[in-house]
Amino acid sequence: MNHPSKRRPPLEGERFQVVVIGGGINGVAIARECARAGRRTLLVEQHDFASGTTSRSTRIIHGGLRYLEHGEIGMVHESLRARGRLLRERPHLVHPVHFLLALSDNTRRSSLTIRTGLWLYRHLGGKLGVAPSDMDKKKLEHWLDSGHRWSIFDFEDAQCEFPERLVAEWLIEAIQAGAVARNHMQVLAVDVVSGKVRGVLLRDKLSGKEEHIDATWIINATGPWADRLCQRSSILTQRPMVGGVRGSHIVLPGFAGAPSTPLYTEGVDRRPMFVIPWNEQILVGTTEVPDTTDPGKTQPANDEIEYLLNSLTALFPSSKISSHDIYYAFAGVRPLPFSPKQAPSSISRRHYLHDHADEGAAGMISVIGGKLTTAAELARQCAKKMGGRVRPPQGLALVSNAALDPLLDQWVLEVGEVGGVGETSARSIVEWHGRR
Ligand SMILES: Cc1cc2nc3c(=O)[nH]c(=O)nc-3n(C[C@H](O)[C@H](O)[C@H](O)COP(=O)(O)OP(=O)(O)OC[C@H]3O[C@@H](n4cnc5c(N)ncnc54)[C@H](O)[C@@H]3O)c2cc1C
């Protein structure tokens, strides 16, 4: 499509030290890190920022309790530290929440395993200070299927209701640090000459124009599209880097007995499942289905929607929820490391950086895997790999809710003073925009 009225300054022939391809949470975090390190950085996104996997997640900022079962203690610890930093740095967007964990007598997990896991999780992550409510537990016990005996535990984690807003804030910071950011701009191919990357060929999807730009480093942060970009650029990897695993969610109105605090439980097949109050609705997910189709066209399959609904009604038989109540369903493809022999649930959620030097494309790095939670840390690792000056993470990783509330109150005061508005308005502004 051609939009002559939306012409942007041409990039043809410009030279950048770093081109980051992909404007999801990882690409934006990397562009911000590189720009802050003083590198001339270009960030390009083929659609809108955060429109890929980043907007299709469960929106939990967590270490991942269940990954402890797979022995991923280091990854869980790193993620919990990242959770702590996000809670401290973005208290208006990332909130500590109290989760209930409900397991029926059907579970394969022993009470000892659960208690040990929860102890370790608390020990690694520290206390966030969100008090468990007996009312929440009692209410849940009342509504859960009475045909089973339930064990209900609780733990603390965090939620970012709108990771898209987090991405928007990081994007603004990247631009303020000097990055050039373009959405609706697709990288058609990476230019490689004599074993080294030289630049990229771009198509501006608003004007339809194609442009060549030069670059020293190219970061492929295209998530589940990572292998496609390499194929288009004739960069041959020994095997695929990503093994896409689709995850679907359904969104429903509140129903009789709907939990008022996030619930972590098991689906009808005993896989982990979340039922989360989100945006004044209930978010239920998720599934794990290998998916190698175009990530841009991913949709939840009918049997995934049925599975989520059946699991929900099995938990809450008196909820009277039916398929007619579903507002909508959505799916995203987890860009997990390619591991065809492993069950999707046991594939590591750890990220890694694939250096393409041995494949004849020195200067190109692909970002594989990861989580919303660890994007900022991944960005620091990526900048370090390019030999850049990397800012140490700001703030303490361990936080308590008691420390966060005064910080938010201080922001409310500042915004109220600067904007000349009352406390209620200032608080609403802070909840959406932080101090900005
Ligand atoms: C179902 C599900 C639930 C999840 N739940 C959680 C959770 O609760 N907590 C958590 O921490 N993590 C969660 N995750 C993981 C997290 O969402 C992802 O790890 C993260 O969003 C990946 O971000 P990304 O930037 O790498 O990829 P993406 O967000 O997919 O960004 C890649 C971008 O690259 C762009 N792109 C592709 N090709 C090109 C090209 N040629 N030119 C320009 N741009 C291009 C795409 O349009 C896309 O916007 C979940 C993931 C899924 C799928």
Side-chain angles (χ1 to χ4, degrees), residues 22 24-26 45-46 53-54 57-60 187 222 225 334 370-373:
I25 195 160
N26 284 327
E45 162 56 46
Q46 63 183 354
T53 321
T54 299
S57 78
T58 314
R59 297 154 187 268
I60 305 169
V187 171
T222 57
W225 286 264
R334 299 176 186 85
K371 305 195 291 171
L372 299 174
T373 313

mmCIF file with all atom_site columns, all heavy atoms in Angstrom, residues 22 24-26 45-46 53-54 57-60 187 222 225 334 370-373, ligand 1:
data_model
loop_
_atom_site.group_PDB
_atom_site.id
_atom_site.type_symbol
_atom_site.label_atom_id
_atom_site.label_alt_id
_atom_site.label_comp_id
_atom_site.label_asym_id
_atom_site.label_entity_id
_atom_site.label_seq_id
_atom_site.pdbx_PDB_ins_code
_atom_site.Cartn_x
_atom_site.Cartn_y
_atom_site.Cartn_z
_atom_site.occupancy
_atom_site.B_iso_or_equiv
_atom_site.pdbx_formal_charge
_atom_site.auth_seq_id
_atom_site.auth_comp_id
_atom_site.auth_asym_id
_atom_site.auth_atom_id
_atom_site.pdbx_PDB_model_num
ATOM   1   N N   . GLY A 1 22  ? 13.353 -6.028  14.385 1.00 0.00 ? 22  GLY A N   1
ATOM   2   C CA  . GLY A 1 22  ? 12.299 -6.576  15.244 1.00 0.00 ? 22  GLY A CA  1
ATOM   3   C C   . GLY A 1 22  ? 12.021 -5.652  16.416 1.00 0.00 ? 22  GLY A C   1
ATOM   4   O O   . GLY A 1 22  ? 12.898 -5.413  17.243 1.00 0.00 ? 22  GLY A O   1
ATOM   5   N N   . GLY A 1 24  ? 9.856  -6.061  18.972 1.00 0.00 ? 24  GLY A N   1
ATOM   6   C CA  . GLY A 1 24  ? 9.216  -6.660  20.142 1.00 0.00 ? 24  GLY A CA  1
ATOM   7   C C   . GLY A 1 24  ? 9.997  -6.221  21.371 1.00 0.00 ? 24  GLY A C   1
ATOM   8   O O   . GLY A 1 24  ? 10.903 -5.376  21.286 1.00 0.00 ? 24  GLY A O   1
ATOM   9   N N   . ILE A 1 25  ? 9.686  -6.818  22.506 1.00 0.00 ? 25  ILE A N   1
ATOM   10  C CA  . ILE A 1 25  ? 10.321 -6.357  23.749 1.00 0.00 ? 25  ILE A CA  1
ATOM   11  C C   . ILE A 1 25  ? 11.838 -6.528  23.699 1.00 0.00 ? 25  ILE A C   1
ATOM   12  O O   . ILE A 1 25  ? 12.581 -5.667  24.172 1.00 0.00 ? 25  ILE A O   1
ATOM   13  C CB  . ILE A 1 25  ? 9.700  -7.054  24.985 1.00 0.00 ? 25  ILE A CB  1
ATOM   14  C CG1 . ILE A 1 25  ? 10.100 -6.304  26.257 1.00 0.00 ? 25  ILE A CG1 1
ATOM   15  C CG2 . ILE A 1 25  ? 10.070 -8.545  25.064 1.00 0.00 ? 25  ILE A CG2 1
ATOM   16  C CD1 . ILE A 1 25  ? 9.226  -6.572  27.449 1.00 0.00 ? 25  ILE A CD1 1
ATOM   17  N N   . ASN A 1 26  ? 12.311 -7.612  23.060 1.00 0.00 ? 26  ASN A N   1
ATOM   18  C CA  . ASN A 1 26  ? 13.761 -7.831  23.032 1.00 0.00 ? 26  ASN A CA  1
ATOM   19  C C   . ASN A 1 26  ? 14.461 -6.822  22.123 1.00 0.00 ? 26  ASN A C   1
ATOM   20  O O   . ASN A 1 26  ? 15.479 -6.238  22.500 1.00 0.00 ? 26  ASN A O   1
ATOM   21  C CB  . ASN A 1 26  ? 14.074 -9.267  22.579 1.00 0.00 ? 26  ASN A CB  1
ATOM   22  C CG  . ASN A 1 26  ? 13.805 -10.269 23.692 1.00 0.00 ? 26  ASN A CG  1
ATOM   23  O OD1 . ASN A 1 26  ? 13.979 -9.955  24.866 1.00 0.00 ? 26  ASN A OD1 1
ATOM   24  N ND2 . ASN A 1 26  ? 13.364 -11.464 23.338 1.00 0.00 ? 26  ASN A ND2 1
ATOM   25  N N   . GLU A 1 45  ? 10.833 -2.291  12.605 1.00 0.00 ? 45  GLU A N   1
ATOM   26  C CA  . GLU A 1 45  ? 9.765  -3.248  12.916 1.00 0.00 ? 45  GLU A CA  1
ATOM   27  C C   . GLU A 1 45  ? 8.819  -3.292  11.719 1.00 0.00 ? 45  GLU A C   1
ATOM   28  O O   . GLU A 1 45  ? 8.370  -2.258  11.239 1.00 0.00 ? 45  GLU A O   1
ATOM   29  C CB  . GLU A 1 45  ? 9.033  -2.797  14.193 1.00 0.00 ? 45  GLU A CB  1
ATOM   30  C CG  . GLU A 1 45  ? 7.657  -3.411  14.410 1.00 0.00 ? 45  GLU A CG  1
ATOM   31  C CD  . GLU A 1 45  ? 7.634  -4.940  14.417 1.00 0.00 ? 45  GLU A CD  1
ATOM   32  O OE1 . GLU A 1 45  ? 8.489  -5.560  15.061 1.00 0.00 ? 45  GLU A OE1 1
ATOM   33  O OE2 . GLU A 1 45  ? 6.744  -5.515  13.737 1.00 0.00 ? 45  GLU A OE2 1
ATOM   34  N N   . GLN A 1 46  ? 8.498  -4.509  11.280 1.00 0.00 ? 46  GLN A N   1
ATOM   35  C CA  . GLN A 1 46  ? 7.705  -4.630  10.051 1.00 0.00 ? 46  GLN A CA  1
ATOM   36  C C   . GLN A 1 46  ? 6.234  -4.223  10.234 1.00 0.00 ? 46  GLN A C   1
ATOM   37  O O   . GLN A 1 46  ? 5.589  -3.804  9.277  1.00 0.00 ? 46  GLN A O   1
ATOM   38  C CB  . GLN A 1 46  ? 7.781  -6.056  9.506  1.00 0.00 ? 46  GLN A CB  1
ATOM   39  C CG  . GLN A 1 46  ? 7.189  -7.103  10.430 1.00 0.00 ? 46  GLN A CG  1
ATOM   40  C CD  . GLN A 1 46  ? 7.332  -8.524  9.911  1.00 0.00 ? 46  GLN A CD  1
ATOM   41  O OE1 . GLN A 1 46  ? 7.791  -8.728  8.799  1.00 0.00 ? 46  GLN A OE1 1
ATOM   42  N NE2 . GLN A 1 46  ? 6.924  -9.496  10.703 1.00 0.00 ? 46  GLN A NE2 1
ATOM   43  N N   . THR A 1 53  ? 4.927  -11.537 19.321 1.00 0.00 ? 53  THR A N   1
ATOM   44  C CA  . THR A 1 53  ? 4.757  -12.407 20.495 1.00 0.00 ? 53  THR A CA  1
ATOM   45  C C   . THR A 1 53  ? 4.539  -11.599 21.770 1.00 0.00 ? 53  THR A C   1
ATOM   46  O O   . THR A 1 53  ? 3.808  -12.025 22.671 1.00 0.00 ? 53  THR A O   1
ATOM   47  C CB  . THR A 1 53  ? 6.036  -13.265 20.685 1.00 0.00 ? 53  THR A CB  1
ATOM   48  O OG1 . THR A 1 53  ? 6.508  -13.665 19.406 1.00 0.00 ? 53  THR A OG1 1
ATOM   49  C CG2 . THR A 1 53  ? 5.767  -14.473 21.534 1.00 0.00 ? 53  THR A CG2 1
ATOM   50  N N   . THR A 1 54  ? 5.182  -10.444 21.832 1.00 0.00 ? 54  THR A N   1
ATOM   51  C CA  . THR A 1 54  ? 5.137  -9.614  23.034 1.00 0.00 ? 54  THR A CA  1
ATOM   52  C C   . THR A 1 54  ? 3.706  -9.282  23.465 1.00 0.00 ? 54  THR A C   1
ATOM   53  O O   . THR A 1 54  ? 3.428  -9.145  24.651 1.00 0.00 ? 54  THR A O   1
ATOM   54  C CB  . THR A 1 54  ? 5.976  -8.337  22.774 1.00 0.00 ? 54  THR A CB  1
ATOM   55  O OG1 . THR A 1 54  ? 7.315  -8.761  22.501 1.00 0.00 ? 54  THR A OG1 1
ATOM   56  C CG2 . THR A 1 54  ? 5.962  -7.374  23.933 1.00 0.00 ? 54  THR A CG2 1
ATOM   57  N N   . SER A 1 57  ? 1.283  -12.734 25.182 1.00 0.00 ? 57  SER A N   1
ATOM   58  C CA  . SER A 1 57  ? 1.766  -13.536 26.303 1.00 0.00 ? 57  SER A CA  1
ATOM   59  C C   . SER A 1 57  ? 0.752  -13.552 27.446 1.00 0.00 ? 57  SER A C   1
ATOM   60  O O   . SER A 1 57  ? -0.287 -12.900 27.391 1.00 0.00 ? 57  SER A O   1
ATOM   61  C CB  . SER A 1 57  ? 3.094  -12.975 26.797 1.00 0.00 ? 57  SER A CB  1
ATOM   62  O OG  . SER A 1 57  ? 2.852  -11.833 27.571 1.00 0.00 ? 57  SER A OG  1
ATOM   63  N N   . THR A 1 58  ? 1.109  -14.256 28.515 1.00 0.00 ? 58  THR A N   1
ATOM   64  C CA  . THR A 1 58  ? 0.244  -14.320 29.703 1.00 0.00 ? 58  THR A CA  1
ATOM   65  C C   . THR A 1 58  ? 0.458  -13.097 30.597 1.00 0.00 ? 58  THR A C   1
ATOM   66  O O   . THR A 1 58  ? -0.283 -12.870 31.532 1.00 0.00 ? 58  THR A O   1
ATOM   67  C CB  . THR A 1 58  ? 0.528  -15.634 30.478 1.00 0.00 ? 58  THR A CB  1
ATOM   68  O OG1 . THR A 1 58  ? 0.584  -16.709 29.538 1.00 0.00 ? 58  THR A OG1 1
ATOM   69  C CG2 . THR A 1 58  ? -0.553 -15.958 31.479 1.00 0.00 ? 58  THR A CG2 1
ATOM   70  N N   . ARG A 1 59  ? 1.510  -12.334 30.322 1.00 0.00 ? 59  ARG A N   1
ATOM   71  C CA  . ARG A 1 59  ? 1.740  -11.039 30.973 1.00 0.00 ? 59  ARG A CA  1
ATOM   72  C C   . ARG A 1 59  ? 2.158  -11.172 32.439 1.00 0.00 ? 59  ARG A C   1
ATOM   73  O O   . ARG A 1 59  ? 1.842  -10.330 33.269 1.00 0.00 ? 59  ARG A O   1
ATOM   74  C CB  . ARG A 1 59  ? 0.492  -10.151 30.846 1.00 0.00 ? 59  ARG A CB  1
ATOM   75  C CG  . ARG A 1 59  ? 0.193  -9.844  29.402 1.00 0.00 ? 59  ARG A CG  1
ATOM   76  C CD  . ARG A 1 59  ? -1.245 -9.530  29.105 1.00 0.00 ? 59  ARG A CD  1
ATOM   77  N NE  . ARG A 1 59  ? -1.416 -9.424  27.664 1.00 0.00 ? 59  ARG A NE  1
ATOM   78  C CZ  . ARG A 1 59  ? -1.326 -8.301  26.978 1.00 0.00 ? 59  ARG A CZ  1
ATOM   79  N NH1 . ARG A 1 59  ? -1.115 -7.172  27.590 1.00 0.00 ? 59  ARG A NH1 1
ATOM   80  N NH2 . ARG A 1 59  ? -1.452 -8.298  25.671 1.00 0.00 ? 59  ARG A NH2 1
ATOM   81  N N   . ILE A 1 60  ? 2.837  -12.256 32.740 1.00 0.00 ? 60  ILE A N   1
ATOM   82  C CA  . ILE A 1 60  ? 3.338  -12.435 34.102 1.00 0.00 ? 60  ILE A CA  1
ATOM   83  C C   . ILE A 1 60  ? 4.830  -12.118 34.095 1.00 0.00 ? 60  ILE A C   1
ATOM   84  O O   . ILE A 1 60  ? 5.554  -12.526 33.178 1.00 0.00 ? 60  ILE A O   1
ATOM   85  C CB  . ILE A 1 60  ? 3.141  -13.886 34.576 1.00 0.00 ? 60  ILE A CB  1
ATOM   86  C CG1 . ILE A 1 60  ? 1.680  -14.291 34.443 1.00 0.00 ? 60  ILE A CG1 1
ATOM   87  C CG2 . ILE A 1 60  ? 3.565  -14.045 36.022 1.00 0.00 ? 60  ILE A CG2 1
ATOM   88  C CD1 . ILE A 1 60  ? 1.483  -15.766 34.649 1.00 0.00 ? 60  ILE A CD1 1
ATOM   89  N N   . VAL A 1 187 ? 12.696 -5.583  6.981  1.00 0.00 ? 187 VAL A N   1
ATOM   90  C CA  . VAL A 1 187 ? 13.999 -5.941  6.413  1.00 0.00 ? 187 VAL A CA  1
ATOM   91  C C   . VAL A 1 187 ? 13.761 -7.070  5.423  1.00 0.00 ? 187 VAL A C   1
ATOM   92  O O   . VAL A 1 187 ? 13.264 -8.140  5.785  1.00 0.00 ? 187 VAL A O   1
ATOM   93  C CB  . VAL A 1 187 ? 14.988 -6.369  7.518  1.00 0.00 ? 187 VAL A CB  1
ATOM   94  C CG1 . VAL A 1 187 ? 16.256 -6.954  6.908  1.00 0.00 ? 187 VAL A CG1 1
ATOM   95  C CG2 . VAL A 1 187 ? 15.333 -5.174  8.392  1.00 0.00 ? 187 VAL A CG2 1
ATOM   96  N N   . THR A 1 222 ? 13.962 -10.938 15.735 1.00 0.00 ? 222 THR A N   1
ATOM   97  C CA  . THR A 1 222 ? 12.647 -11.118 15.119 1.00 0.00 ? 222 THR A CA  1
ATOM   98  C C   . THR A 1 222 ? 11.854 -12.250 15.769 1.00 0.00 ? 222 THR A C   1
ATOM   99  O O   . THR A 1 222 ? 10.847 -12.705 15.213 1.00 0.00 ? 222 THR A O   1
ATOM   100 C CB  . THR A 1 222 ? 12.780 -11.374 13.600 1.00 0.00 ? 222 THR A CB  1
ATOM   101 O OG1 . THR A 1 222 ? 13.621 -12.518 13.407 1.00 0.00 ? 222 THR A OG1 1
ATOM   102 C CG2 . THR A 1 222 ? 13.377 -10.188 12.875 1.00 0.00 ? 222 THR A CG2 1
ATOM   103 N N   . TRP A 1 225 ? 10.330 -15.249 13.942 1.00 0.00 ? 225 TRP A N   1
ATOM   104 C CA  . TRP A 1 225 ? 10.651 -15.063 12.521 1.00 0.00 ? 225 TRP A CA  1
ATOM   105 C C   . TRP A 1 225 ? 12.168 -15.224 12.267 1.00 0.00 ? 225 TRP A C   1
ATOM   106 O O   . TRP A 1 225 ? 12.625 -15.034 11.145 1.00 0.00 ? 225 TRP A O   1
ATOM   107 C CB  . TRP A 1 225 ? 10.259 -13.659 12.053 1.00 0.00 ? 225 TRP A CB  1
ATOM   108 C CG  . TRP A 1 225 ? 8.803  -13.379 11.852 1.00 0.00 ? 225 TRP A CG  1
ATOM   109 C CD1 . TRP A 1 225 ? 8.113  -13.444 10.671 1.00 0.00 ? 225 TRP A CD1 1
ATOM   110 C CD2 . TRP A 1 225 ? 7.848  -12.932 12.832 1.00 0.00 ? 225 TRP A CD2 1
ATOM   111 N NE1 . TRP A 1 225 ? 6.801  -13.074 10.872 1.00 0.00 ? 225 TRP A NE1 1
ATOM   112 C CE2 . TRP A 1 225 ? 6.611  -12.760 12.186 1.00 0.00 ? 225 TRP A CE2 1
ATOM   113 C CE3 . TRP A 1 225 ? 7.919  -12.676 14.195 1.00 0.00 ? 225 TRP A CE3 1
ATOM   114 C CZ2 . TRP A 1 225 ? 5.458  -12.333 12.850 1.00 0.00 ? 225 TRP A CZ2 1
ATOM   115 C CZ3 . TRP A 1 225 ? 6.768  -12.256 14.863 1.00 0.00 ? 225 TRP A CZ3 1
ATOM   116 C CH2 . TRP A 1 225 ? 5.566  -12.091 14.195 1.00 0.00 ? 225 TRP A CH2 1
ATOM   117 N N   . ARG A 1 334 ? 5.866  -19.007 20.775 1.00 0.00 ? 334 ARG A N   1
ATOM   118 C CA  . ARG A 1 334 ? 7.059  -18.836 21.622 1.00 0.00 ? 334 ARG A CA  1
ATOM   119 C C   . ARG A 1 334 ? 8.291  -19.155 20.775 1.00 0.00 ? 334 ARG A C   1
ATOM   120 O O   . ARG A 1 334 ? 8.376  -20.255 20.216 1.00 0.00 ? 334 ARG A O   1
ATOM   121 C CB  . ARG A 1 334 ? 7.034  -19.811 22.801 1.00 0.00 ? 334 ARG A CB  1
ATOM   122 C CG  . ARG A 1 334 ? 5.865  -19.650 23.744 1.00 0.00 ? 334 ARG A CG  1
ATOM   123 C CD  . ARG A 1 334 ? 5.920  -20.739 24.808 1.00 0.00 ? 334 ARG A CD  1
ATOM   124 N NE  . ARG A 1 334 ? 4.749  -20.723 25.675 1.00 0.00 ? 334 ARG A NE  1
ATOM   125 C CZ  . ARG A 1 334 ? 3.599  -21.325 25.394 1.00 0.00 ? 334 ARG A CZ  1
ATOM   126 N NH1 . ARG A 1 334 ? 3.457  -21.992 24.256 1.00 0.00 ? 334 ARG A NH1 1
ATOM   127 N NH2 . ARG A 1 334 ? 2.589  -21.277 26.229 1.00 0.00 ? 334 ARG A NH2 1
ATOM   128 N N   . GLY A 1 370 ? 13.818 -16.689 25.424 1.00 0.00 ? 370 GLY A N   1
ATOM   129 C CA  . GLY A 1 370 ? 13.684 -15.608 26.402 1.00 0.00 ? 370 GLY A CA  1
ATOM   130 C C   . GLY A 1 370 ? 12.254 -15.392 26.843 1.00 0.00 ? 370 GLY A C   1
ATOM   131 O O   . GLY A 1 370 ? 11.333 -16.103 26.439 1.00 0.00 ? 370 GLY A O   1
ATOM   132 N N   . LYS A 1 371 ? 12.112 -14.389 27.687 1.00 0.00 ? 371 LYS A N   1
ATOM   133 C CA  . LYS A 1 371 ? 10.812 -14.071 28.283 1.00 0.00 ? 371 LYS A CA  1
ATOM   134 C C   . LYS A 1 371 ? 10.694 -12.556 28.365 1.00 0.00 ? 371 LYS A C   1
ATOM   135 O O   . LYS A 1 371 ? 11.705 -11.855 28.329 1.00 0.00 ? 371 LYS A O   1
ATOM   136 C CB  . LYS A 1 371 ? 10.740 -14.629 29.712 1.00 0.00 ? 371 LYS A CB  1
ATOM   137 C CG  . LYS A 1 371 ? 11.030 -16.108 29.781 1.00 0.00 ? 371 LYS A CG  1
ATOM   138 C CD  . LYS A 1 371 ? 10.598 -16.710 31.097 1.00 0.00 ? 371 LYS A CD  1
ATOM   139 C CE  . LYS A 1 371 ? 11.425 -16.242 32.253 1.00 0.00 ? 371 LYS A CE  1
ATOM   140 N NZ  . LYS A 1 371 ? 10.890 -16.658 33.534 1.00 0.00 ? 371 LYS A NZ  1
ATOM   141 N N   . LEU A 1 372 ? 9.482  -12.081 28.548 1.00 0.00 ? 372 LEU A N   1
ATOM   142 C CA  . LEU A 1 372 ? 9.296  -10.642 28.781 1.00 0.00 ? 372 LEU A CA  1
ATOM   143 C C   . LEU A 1 372 ? 10.182 -10.228 29.948 1.00 0.00 ? 372 LEU A C   1
ATOM   144 O O   . LEU A 1 372 ? 10.859 -9.196  29.921 1.00 0.00 ? 372 LEU A O   1
ATOM   145 C CB  . LEU A 1 372 ? 7.851  -10.342 29.209 1.00 0.00 ? 372 LEU A CB  1
ATOM   146 C CG  . LEU A 1 372 ? 6.700  -10.685 28.283 1.00 0.00 ? 372 LEU A CG  1
ATOM   147 C CD1 . LEU A 1 372 ? 5.389  -10.429 29.004 1.00 0.00 ? 372 LEU A CD1 1
ATOM   148 C CD2 . LEU A 1 372 ? 6.791  -9.869  27.009 1.00 0.00 ? 372 LEU A CD2 1
ATOM   149 N N   . THR A 1 373 ? 10.132 -11.062 30.975 1.00 0.00 ? 373 THR A N   1
ATOM   150 C CA  . THR A 1 373 ? 10.779 -10.767 32.247 1.00 0.00 ? 373 THR A CA  1
ATOM   151 C C   . THR A 1 373 ? 12.263 -10.452 32.096 1.00 0.00 ? 373 THR A C   1
ATOM   152 O O   . THR A 1 373 ? 12.792 -9.584  32.785 1.00 0.00 ? 373 THR A O   1
ATOM   153 C CB  . THR A 1 373 ? 10.594 -11.997 33.181 1.00 0.00 ? 373 THR A CB  1
ATOM   154 O OG1 . THR A 1 373 ? 9.228  -12.401 33.118 1.00 0.00 ? 373 THR A OG1 1
ATOM   155 C CG2 . THR A 1 373 ? 10.991 -11.697 34.604 1.00 0.00 ? 373 THR A CG2 1
HETATM 156 C C1  . LIG B 2 .   ? 1.578  -17.865 24.852 1.00 0.00 ? 1   LIG B C1  1
HETATM 157 C C2  . LIG B 2 .   ? 2.753  -17.156 25.420 1.00 0.00 ? 1   LIG B C2  1
HETATM 158 C C3  . LIG B 2 .   ? 2.775  -16.808 26.760 1.00 0.00 ? 1   LIG B C3  1
HETATM 159 C C4  . LIG B 2 .   ? 3.881  -16.150 27.285 1.00 0.00 ? 1   LIG B C4  1
HETATM 160 N N1  . LIG B 2 .   ? 3.836  -15.733 28.573 1.00 0.00 ? 1   LIG B N1  1
HETATM 161 C C5  . LIG B 2 .   ? 4.879  -15.060 29.102 1.00 0.00 ? 1   LIG B C5  1
HETATM 162 C C6  . LIG B 2 .   ? 4.798  -14.554 30.415 1.00 0.00 ? 1   LIG B C6  1
HETATM 163 O O1  . LIG B 2 .   ? 3.770  -14.652 31.082 1.00 0.00 ? 1   LIG B O1  1
HETATM 164 N N2  . LIG B 2 .   ? 5.896  -13.938 30.916 1.00 0.00 ? 1   LIG B N2  1
HETATM 165 C C7  . LIG B 2 .   ? 7.041  -13.782 30.195 1.00 0.00 ? 1   LIG B C7  1
HETATM 166 O O2  . LIG B 2 .   ? 8.011  -13.239 30.741 1.00 0.00 ? 1   LIG B O2  1
HETATM 167 N N3  . LIG B 2 .   ? 7.132  -14.211 28.908 1.00 0.00 ? 1   LIG B N3  1
HETATM 168 C C8  . LIG B 2 .   ? 6.073  -14.835 28.352 1.00 0.00 ? 1   LIG B C8  1
HETATM 169 N N4  . LIG B 2 .   ? 6.117  -15.264 27.053 1.00 0.00 ? 1   LIG B N4  1
HETATM 170 C C9  . LIG B 2 .   ? 7.345  -15.080 26.292 1.00 0.00 ? 1   LIG B C9  1
HETATM 171 C C10 . LIG B 2 .   ? 7.450  -13.679 25.703 1.00 0.00 ? 1   LIG B C10 1
HETATM 172 O O3  . LIG B 2 .   ? 6.204  -13.222 25.259 1.00 0.00 ? 1   LIG B O3  1
HETATM 173 C C11 . LIG B 2 .   ? 8.437  -13.702 24.538 1.00 0.00 ? 1   LIG B C11 1
HETATM 174 O O4  . LIG B 2 .   ? 9.646  -14.296 24.934 1.00 0.00 ? 1   LIG B O4  1
HETATM 175 C C12 . LIG B 2 .   ? 8.776  -12.297 24.061 1.00 0.00 ? 1   LIG B C12 1
HETATM 176 O O5  . LIG B 2 .   ? 7.609  -11.561 23.806 1.00 0.00 ? 1   LIG B O5  1
HETATM 177 C C13 . LIG B 2 .   ? 9.613  -12.387 22.799 1.00 0.00 ? 1   LIG B C13 1
HETATM 178 O O6  . LIG B 2 .   ? 9.837  -11.082 22.362 1.00 0.00 ? 1   LIG B O6  1
HETATM 179 P P1  . LIG B 2 .   ? 10.648 -10.813 21.035 1.00 0.00 ? 1   LIG B P1  1
HETATM 180 O O7  . LIG B 2 .   ? 10.907 -9.364  20.989 1.00 0.00 ? 1   LIG B O7  1
HETATM 181 O O8  . LIG B 2 .   ? 11.822 -11.732 20.973 1.00 0.00 ? 1   LIG B O8  1
HETATM 182 O O9  . LIG B 2 .   ? 9.670  -11.314 19.869 1.00 0.00 ? 1   LIG B O9  1
HETATM 183 P P2  . LIG B 2 .   ? 8.406  -10.587 19.210 1.00 0.00 ? 1   LIG B P2  1
HETATM 184 O O10 . LIG B 2 .   ? 7.584  -9.870  20.209 1.00 0.00 ? 1   LIG B O10 1
HETATM 185 O O11 . LIG B 2 .   ? 7.721  -11.610 18.379 1.00 0.00 ? 1   LIG B O11 1
HETATM 186 O O12 . LIG B 2 .   ? 9.072  -9.491  18.281 1.00 0.00 ? 1   LIG B O12 1
HETATM 187 C C14 . LIG B 2 .   ? 9.682  -9.798  17.053 1.00 0.00 ? 1   LIG B C14 1
HETATM 188 C C15 . LIG B 2 .   ? 9.277  -8.711  16.082 1.00 0.00 ? 1   LIG B C15 1
HETATM 189 O O13 . LIG B 2 .   ? 10.043 -8.841  14.885 1.00 0.00 ? 1   LIG B O13 1
HETATM 190 C C16 . LIG B 2 .   ? 9.252  -8.344  13.825 1.00 0.00 ? 1   LIG B C16 1
HETATM 191 N N5  . LIG B 2 .   ? 9.825  -8.817  12.557 1.00 0.00 ? 1   LIG B N5  1
HETATM 192 C C17 . LIG B 2 .   ? 9.871  -10.085 12.104 1.00 0.00 ? 1   LIG B C17 1
HETATM 193 N N6  . LIG B 2 .   ? 10.481 -10.136 10.904 1.00 0.00 ? 1   LIG B N6  1
HETATM 194 C C18 . LIG B 2 .   ? 10.837 -8.862  10.587 1.00 0.00 ? 1   LIG B C18 1
HETATM 195 C C19 . LIG B 2 .   ? 11.502 -8.260  9.475  1.00 0.00 ? 1   LIG B C19 1
HETATM 196 N N7  . LIG B 2 .   ? 11.921 -8.986  8.433  1.00 0.00 ? 1   LIG B N7  1
HETATM 197 N N8  . LIG B 2 .   ? 11.693 -6.914  9.478  1.00 0.00 ? 1   LIG B N8  1
HETATM 198 C C20 . LIG B 2 .   ? 11.273 -6.146  10.528 1.00 0.00 ? 1   LIG B C20 1
HETATM 199 N N9  . LIG B 2 .   ? 10.637 -6.672  11.601 1.00 0.00 ? 1   LIG B N9  1
HETATM 200 C C21 . LIG B 2 .   ? 10.427 -8.014  11.640 1.00 0.00 ? 1   LIG B C21 1
HETATM 201 C C22 . LIG B 2 .   ? 7.872  -8.913  14.126 1.00 0.00 ? 1   LIG B C22 1
HETATM 202 O O14 . LIG B 2 .   ? 6.843  -8.196  13.480 1.00 0.00 ? 1   LIG B O14 1
HETATM 203 C C23 . LIG B 2 .   ? 7.817  -8.800  15.652 1.00 0.00 ? 1   LIG B C23 1
HETATM 204 O O15 . LIG B 2 .   ? 7.131  -7.636  16.095 1.00 0.00 ? 1   LIG B O15 1
HETATM 205 C C24 . LIG B 2 .   ? 5.005  -15.880 26.470 1.00 0.00 ? 1   LIG B C24 1
HETATM 206 C C25 . LIG B 2 .   ? 4.975  -16.210 25.109 1.00 0.00 ? 1   LIG B C25 1
HETATM 207 C C26 . LIG B 2 .   ? 3.847  -16.813 24.585 1.00 0.00 ? 1   LIG B C26 1
HETATM 208 C C27 . LIG B 2 .   ? 3.785  -17.105 23.122 1.00 0.00 ? 1   LIG B C27 1
#
